[in-house]
Amino acid sequence: YQTNVMGTVNLFEAVRACNSVIAVVNVTTDKCYENNEWVWGYRENEAMGGHDPYSSSKGCSELVTSAYRRSFFGDNSGVCLGSARAGNVIGGGDWSQDRLIPDALYAFGGNKPVVIRNPLATRPWQHVLEPISGYLMLAENLYLNGKTYAEAWNFGPNDEDEQPVSFLVDIIANTWGNGASWNQDDSKQPHEAFYLKLDCSKTRSLLKHKPAWSLEKTLNETVEWYKAWHNKKNMREFTICQIDTYQQEQN
C-alpha cells in the first residue's frame, strides 16, 4: 500500500508541482478489478476490488488516479491523466521468482520438470511488447489530443489467446525440447483467481490498438529469447532484433 497507493499520490503531487508535464499514464494491472470469476471480460467502468493486498492496492491506485483526474487534472489544468490495465505479460528478460515463464525455463535449463500450482487457471496472456506499444500509443494520444483519452484503458490479447496455464506450459515444454515436462503441486496453496478476462473493445475501437502476435507466436519468441541467453548470445542485439520484428508485424 505504501508503494501502490502513496507512491501514486506522491507522483501526482509531483506532477501538480511541475508545469511542464502534459501527459501521464499510470500503469496498474488487470488484478485491480473486483474479480467475480465471470466468463466475460471486465470493462473499464467495472468496480475496483481485490481479494489480496496486491490486487486491492492496485485497485486503490486506480481510485486515486480517478480522484486526482477529477479534482486536480481537469480541463484547465493542462495535464492529461490516463490509466492502463494489463496483466500476465510474458517475454524474455523476466527473472522474477514465482512467475510461470521464469520458473519453467529455469527448471528446463536445469533439466528438471517445473512444478505448477494451478494448471487450470485461465489468464489473458500477452507478450510484454503488446501492452508497452499500447501504453506509448495512449501517452501519444494524451499528449496530442488531450482530455478525450484521459480515462482508463484495458490492454489484452484476443479472446482465443486466453488459455489455461497447462496450455502454456505444454507449448513451452515442446518448444524447449530435451524432454522438458511439468508436474502439478498438490500441496495447499494461497488463494488464486481461477478465471480472469479483460474486455478490450474500447482500446480496439478508440485507440486502434490490437495484438500483433498470437499466443503461439508469443510463446515461441519468449522461449527463443531464453534459449539465446542460455547459449550466451549478445542479448542486447537479440532483444533489439525481436523488437524490430514486432514493430514490422504490428504495422
Side-chain angles (χ1 to χ4, degrees), residues 45-75:
N45 59 355
E46 303 277 4
M48 298 292 97
H51 179 280
D52 56 275
Y54 170 79
S55 304
S56 172
S57 67
K58 289 294 190 177
C60 290
S61 178
E62 285 283 357
L63 295 176
V64 169
T65 303
S66 177
Y68 268 77
R69 182 189 296 120
R70 290 182 290 180
S71 299
F72 304 117
F73 302 140
D75 293 337

Side-chain angles (χ1 to χ4, degrees), residues 220-234:
N220 182 69
E221 293 294 333
T222 299
V223 173
E224 289 303 314
W225 194 98
Y226 284 98
K227 277 187 173 181
W229 177 85
H230 195 71
N231 293 325
K232 303 186 183 306
K233 297 288 183 66
N234 184 318

Side-chain angles (χ1 to χ4, degrees), residues 20-246:
S20 62
V21 176
I22 295 175
V24 180
V25 177
N26 178 26
V27 178
T28 59
T29 175
D30 57 356
K31 313 298 186 297
C32 67
Y33 292 105
E34 182 65 37
N35 190 354
N36 297 304
E37 306 279 348
W38 290 330
V39 295
W40 55 85
Y42 293 94
R43 294 182 179 179
E44 288 85 350
N45 59 355
E46 303 277 4
M48 298 292 97
H51 179 280
D52 56 275
Y54 170 79
S55 304
S56 172
S57 67
K58 289 294 190 177
C60 290
S61 178
E62 285 283 357
L63 295 176
V64 169
T65 303
S66 177
Y68 268 77
R69 182 189 296 120
R70 290 182 290 180
S71 299
F72 304 117
F73 302 140
D75 293 337
N76 298 320
S77 73
V79 177
C80 298
L81 173 59
S83 65
R85 303 160 183 177
N88 298 95
V89 294
I90 57 180
D94 184 357
W95 305 110
S96 303
Q97 292 183 338
D98 298 322
R99 285 171 61 85
L100 179 62
I101 303 299
D103 285 355
L105 295 173
Y106 267 131
F108 298 162
N111 296 316
K112 299 177 182 178
V114 64
V115 179
I116 302 299
R117 294 192 305 270
N118 191 355
L120 298 181
T122 299
R123 297 288 185 270
W125 312 99
Q126 58 185 323
H127 196 279
V128 65
L129 293 176
E130 302 279 18
I132 285 176
S133 70
Y135 302 158
L136 292 172
M137 188 177 293
L138 174 57
E140 181 181 25
N141 277 282
L142 286 168
Y143 184 86
L144 296 176
N145 301 312
K147 304 298 179 180
T148 304
Y149 294 87
E151 299 176 347
W153 302 83
N154 285 339
F155 294 89
N158 295 317
D159 288 348
E160 61 269 21
D161 288 332
E162 292 168 344
Q163 296 288 346
V165 169
S166 58
F167 180 90
L168 266 73
V169 183
D170 284 340
I171 291 180
I172 294 169
N174 289 335
T175 304
W176 185 269
N178 297 324
S181 62
W182 62 274
N183 298 324
Q184 183 171 354
D185 186 349
D186 293 325
S187 63
K188 186 177 180 180
Q189 299 293 330
H191 172 271
E192 189 172 5
F194 182 76
Y195 194 82
L196 179 60
K197 183 176 180 179
L198 295 178
D199 183 327
C200 301
S201 351
K202 175 183 170 183
T203 300
R204 307 272 200 274
S205 175
L206 301 181
L207 273 183
K208 309 301 181 186
H209 180 269
K210 60 182 181 179
W213 285 353
S214 67
L215 181 55
E216 287 81 0
K217 172 72 170 176
T218 291
L219 291 171
N220 182 69
E221 293 294 333
T222 299
V223 173
E224 289 303 314
W225 194 98
Y226 284 98
K227 277 187 173 181
W229 177 85
H230 195 71
N231 293 325
K232 303 186 183 306
K233 297 288 183 66
N234 184 318
M235 295 315 299
R236 177 179 174 82
E237 291 182 1
F238 189 93
T239 302
I240 291 175
C241 181
Q242 203 169 65
I243 293 171
D244 288 342
T245 299
Y246 173 82

Side-chain angles (χ1 to χ4, degrees), residues 9-28:
V9 171
N10 292 336
L11 171 64
F12 293 162
E13 284 297 316
V15 170
R16 290 181 65 198
C18 182
N19 294 329
S20 62
V21 176
I22 295 175
V24 180
V25 177
N26 178 26
V27 178
T28 59

